[in-house]
Amino acid sequence: MLGKTIDEIKVGDSAEFAKTIAESDVYLFAGVTGDLNPFHINEDFSKDTFFKGRIAHGILLAGFISTVIGCHLPGPGAIYVKQELKFMAPGRIGDTITAKATVKEIVTEKNRVVLTTTCTNQNGDLIVDGEAVVSPRKG
């Protein structure tokens, strides 16, 4: 399966990926990255913080945006060039996070696509807001 080329992409195109965050996702991410911050892995510590419980790593959630870009829009063959992120609210174990990318701008002469990127939870709350620049596969 090949992703879209710049000629196959239009402003307004969008794609999504959704996943429910399991406790094992948080622990596996912590193990792979070495980020053992107690906000993520220690319920006793985190229950007494302003989050009132464990939260998923923000970059784990941002990884769902990478799934949209690498697998759906533009899809296989695309190269991530840049990503800006703003973490708006925590994602929690048990939340279903939907990552979405929408084409904002096409820069044909540079083979670049600018995407708005978001992650929302099952309640529609904005968790991550951002913008990505990607290079779609060449035709």
Side-chain angles (χ1 to χ4, degrees):
M1 178 173 95
L2 294 175
K4 293 180 177 185
T5 65
I6 200 153
D7 295 328
E8 298 171 311
I9 299 169
K10 294 173 186 58
V11 171
D13 286 354
S14 67
E16 296 182 349
F17 169 78
K19 181 177 184 349
T20 301
I21 301 170
E23 185 173 40
S24 60
D25 296 326
V26 173
Y27 281 109
L28 286 168
F29 189 85
V32 167
T33 63
D35 182 352
L36 303 175
N37 186 320
F39 276 109
H40 308 303
I41 62 168
N42 186 322
E43 184 63 34
D44 287 337
F45 169 86
S46 59
K47 71 181 179 185
D48 294 326
T49 68
F50 58 91
F51 290 122
K52 306 293 184 215
R54 287 180 295 163
I55 60 171
H57 300 75
I59 295 299
L60 170 61
L61 306 181
F64 300 158
I65 297 168
S66 180
T67 299
V68 175
I69 290 168
C71 296
H72 304 289
L73 182 68
I79 301 295
Y80 232 131
V81 176
K82 178 180 176 181
Q83 176 74 61
E84 295 178 2
L85 297 169
K86 184 174 182 183
F87 298 100
M88 309 296 289
R92 301 178 182 280
I93 294 168
D95 281 353
T96 298
I97 302 297
T98 300
K100 183 176 183 178
T102 303
V103 177
K104 175 180 174 181
E105 180 182 352
I106 300 170
V107 185
T108 306
E109 61 277 4
K110 292 186 177 182
N111 195 47
R112 298 287 192 264
V113 176
V114 180
L115 304 164
T116 59
T117 57
T118 60
C119 291
T120 55
N121 68 12
Q122 67 279 359
N123 301 319
D125 300 326
L126 183 63
I127 304 297
V128 180
D129 193 20
E131 185 174 279
V133 177
V134 300
S135 180
R137 76 172 179 88
K138 297 265 186 173

